[in-house]
Amino acid sequence: MKKGNIFLLTLVTILVAGGLLFWYLKPMNVMPQALEAMKSNDSVKVTYENWIAFTPRDATPTVGFIFYPGAKVDPRSYAPEMSEIASHGFLTVIVLMPLNLAIFGVDKAGEVIKDYPYIKKWVIGGHSLGGVIAVSYAKNNKNKINGIVLWASYPDNSDDLSNSSIPVLVIYATNDGLATPQKIEDAKHLLPQNTEYVRILGGDHAQFGWYGDQDGDNPATITRSDQQKIIVNATLNFLKDISLSYR
């Protein structure tokens, strides 16, 4: 084969491979409601730099919530929930992950913690793969984390917290086609016995955020707004308990 043809074939192969990689890693579209929640308001100041931070305006928060997004999900997709939680007096931070995959940013929470020395207690959580990686960070940084919140997620087998005393909240949905109720059940032995479980009847995987439908998921039988009210309320109650605890 002539050198020119080899070069052309190599170039085409690189372009095709790059295009496929871009398609695979391209985050799912963020919905308009999430973009609206990215704006500061009378209750919450939003900053979008090294991460997306939602800071309450009328209080100095002492509890912070670090959130790891799901795989290939635009981090802004969780802005409505984080803004609402922040309006109740908690600092909430959505971490920006390399290639939109939390597996490449396991220790990103440490950067957040270092930047907010006035926060006395930290809770880490995440959606789907983000939750898996959040557990991994918590296990390896027990002196920094006071609680874990999992949205449609469960630990990896290598991250056994069954003998830990750390408070954990798991929120899952009955119509979830990815983090199915059976998978949540099968992972219970990896979490502390006092783990709190909140079951959303009719909820699905994608409605934990604002990014539309997701391949492999099942249709929800409740609205996104109704599902997220349950998610936000359960998370808020957990954060309030952490703020009152002596741990």
Side-chain angles (χ1 to χ4, degrees):
M1 184 179 290
K2 295 181 179 180
K3 289 184 178 179
N5 291 337
I6 294 174
F7 174 78
L8 182 59
L9 179 61
T10 302
L11 180 61
V12 170
T13 301
I14 292 173
L15 290 174
V16 170
L20 288 173
L21 182 63
F22 175 79
W23 173 82
Y24 177 76
L25 295 176
K26 183 178 183 295
M28 286 167 273
N29 291 331
V30 59
M31 298 173 74
Q33 295 90 334
L35 295 177
E36 183 63 27
M38 286 290 297
K39 301 175 183 178
S40 298
N41 55 45
D42 292 341
S43 301
V44 177
K45 178 182 178 182
V46 183
T47 54
Y48 189 178
E49 296 175 354
N50 297 325
W51 42 74
I52 308 173
F54 301 81
T55 308
R57 290 189 184 276
D58 60 353
T60 300
T62 58
V63 176
F65 180 37
I66 301 171
F67 191 83
Y68 284 8
K72 294 177 60 180
V73 178
D74 188 310
R76 297 173 296 175
S77 300
Y78 305 97
E81 299 108 305
M82 295 303 134
S83 181
E84 178 63 23
I85 292 169
S87 71
H88 290 264
F90 299 98
L91 171 71
T92 60
V93 179
I94 305 173
V95 177
L96 309 179
M97 291 298 180
L99 303 178
N100 293 300
L101 294 171
I103 195 170
F104 295 127
V106 179
D107 294 323
K108 286 283 185 177
E111 299 174 15
V112 177
I113 293 171
K114 184 178 179 180
D115 213 48
Y116 295 94
Y118 61 86
I119 296 296
K120 304 303 181 185
K121 296 178 181 179
W122 285 102
V123 173
I124 192 169
H127 174 219
S128 197
L129 177 64
V132 177
I133 304 305
V135 171
S136 181
Y137 179 85
K139 181 185 177 185
N140 294 319
N141 296 273
K142 295 177 182 178
N143 61 322
K144 297 179 181 179
I145 299 299
N146 300 91
I148 301 172
V149 176
L150 301 179
W151 293 2
S153 186
Y154 47 87
D156 183 81
N157 286 327
S158 61
D159 293 318
D160 189 342
L161 294 177
S162 58
N163 293 322
S164 172
S165 61
I166 189 168
V168 180
L169 168 66
V170 178
I171 308 173
Y172 69 102
T174 59
N175 289 27
D176 193 325
L178 300 172
T180 65
Q182 186 59 56
K183 290 179 179 178
I184 299 295
E185 180 67 30
D186 291 344
K188 281 186 174 181
H189 70 284
L190 297 170
L191 292 171
Q193 289 188 351
N194 63 345
T195 296
E196 178 186 356
Y197 291 87
V198 173
R199 174 173 171 263
I200 304 177
L201 185 64
D204 68 5
H205 197 80
Q207 288 190 166
F208 277 86
W210 291 83
Y211 57 89
D213 298 329
Q214 189 166 358
D215 291 342
D217 203 6
N218 296 317
T221 56
I222 62 172
T223 67
R224 191 179 303 270
S225 294
D226 285 345
Q227 178 167 338
Q228 296 209 359
K229 285 178 184 176
I230 298 171
I231 295 167
V232 168
N233 287 338
T235 303
L236 270 174
N237 289 336
F238 184 82
L239 293 174
K240 289 175 183 177
D241 287 343
I242 294 295
S243 70
L244 296 172
S245 70
Y246 292 101
R247 187 177 182 276

